[in-house]
Amino acid sequence: MGERVEIKVRDNGSLRISGDFTIVDVEGNEIPHEGTETGLCRCGRSANKPFCDGSHKQGFESVVRAPQK
């Protein structure tokens, strides 16, 4: 079994994904990426979707926390 994949929800920013992962489009085609870590756009403004290009810095706000047990 491969390395565990982690997706971290960053305050007011991207989803940071790390580990041994692939990203595929709706048709099942692999979207190439480099390395074992990348940021995925959450604000919808990136010119390089699905990847983050830092556009969220123009005013995107979202803070997500896991529910308390």
Side-chain angles (χ1 to χ4, degrees):
M1 187 166 170
E3 179 183 344
R4 181 178 169 150
V5 174
E6 178 179 89
I7 301 171
K8 184 178 284 188
V9 183
R10 299 174 74 185
D11 289 354
N12 306 317
S14 66
L15 295 173
R16 197 75 188 162
I17 183 169
S18 60
D20 183 16
F21 62 91
T22 55
I23 301 171
V24 295
D25 67 15
V26 69
E27 296 173 351
N29 301 306
E30 188 169 337
I31 299 172
H33 63 86
E34 294 183 18
T36 59
E37 189 171 318
T38 194
L40 298 178
C41 178
R42 204 161 58 107
C43 75
R45 293 184 183 140
S46 176
N48 191 27
K49 290 182 191 98
F51 304 104
C52 176
D53 68 1
S55 293
H56 59 271
K57 295 175 185 173
Q58 298 173 16
F60 175 72
E61 291 185 29
S62 179
V63 176
V64 177
R65 297 290 183 266
Q68 298 297 314
K69 295 181 182 180

